[in-house]
Amino acid sequence: AALVGMTPLLQSADRAPSVLNGGLGNVSPLYWGLCLAGAAAIDLYGIFGASKKEGYTPGDLGFDPLGVFPEDKEGQEWVKLAEVKNG
C-alpha cells in the first residue's frame, strides 16, 4: 500500500481487518462494489450463458486455468462424485 501511496489496512499488530477485530470500515466502498459486481457477473454468466449450452454440468463454467479437471472420463466422474460428497 505504501508503494502506491495508499494507507495500509493492517493494524499495528499486523492483523488484517475483519468483523471481529474491526477495521472493515477502512476498506474502500469501491472495493466492495467491485467484489460484488465481479461475483454477480460470474453468477449471471452461469445462469444465462453456460447453463444454456448442450451437455452443461452445474458448476462447470469452462474455466480451469490450472488444468485440475482430468481429461479421461473415469477421472472426471471421480472428481464430480468427490465434489458432490465434499462440496
Side-chain angles (χ1 to χ4, degrees):
L3 292 174
V4 292
M6 299 173 63
T7 56
L9 293 175
L10 292 178
Q11 296 175 350
S12 61
D14 286 336
R15 294 188 313 177
S18 74
V19 174
L20 298 177
N21 64 18
L24 286 180
N26 298 335
V27 180
S28 170
L30 177 64
Y31 171 79
W32 295 119
L34 290 174
C35 287
L36 183 62
I42 292 169
D43 200 26
L44 290 173
Y45 173 72
I47 292 171
F48 297 113
S51 64
K52 305 296 185 219
K53 294 180 182 175
E54 186 69 30
Y56 170 73
T57 302
D60 181 14
L61 300 179
F63 182 73
D64 187 20
L66 299 177
V68 177
F69 196 63
E71 296 292 328
D72 62 298
K73 194 70 171 168
E74 182 181 335
Q76 290 176 356
E77 293 301 320
W78 183 86
V79 169
K80 288 178 185 178
L81 181 61
E83 183 67 25
V84 168
K85 287 184 173 182
N86 300 306

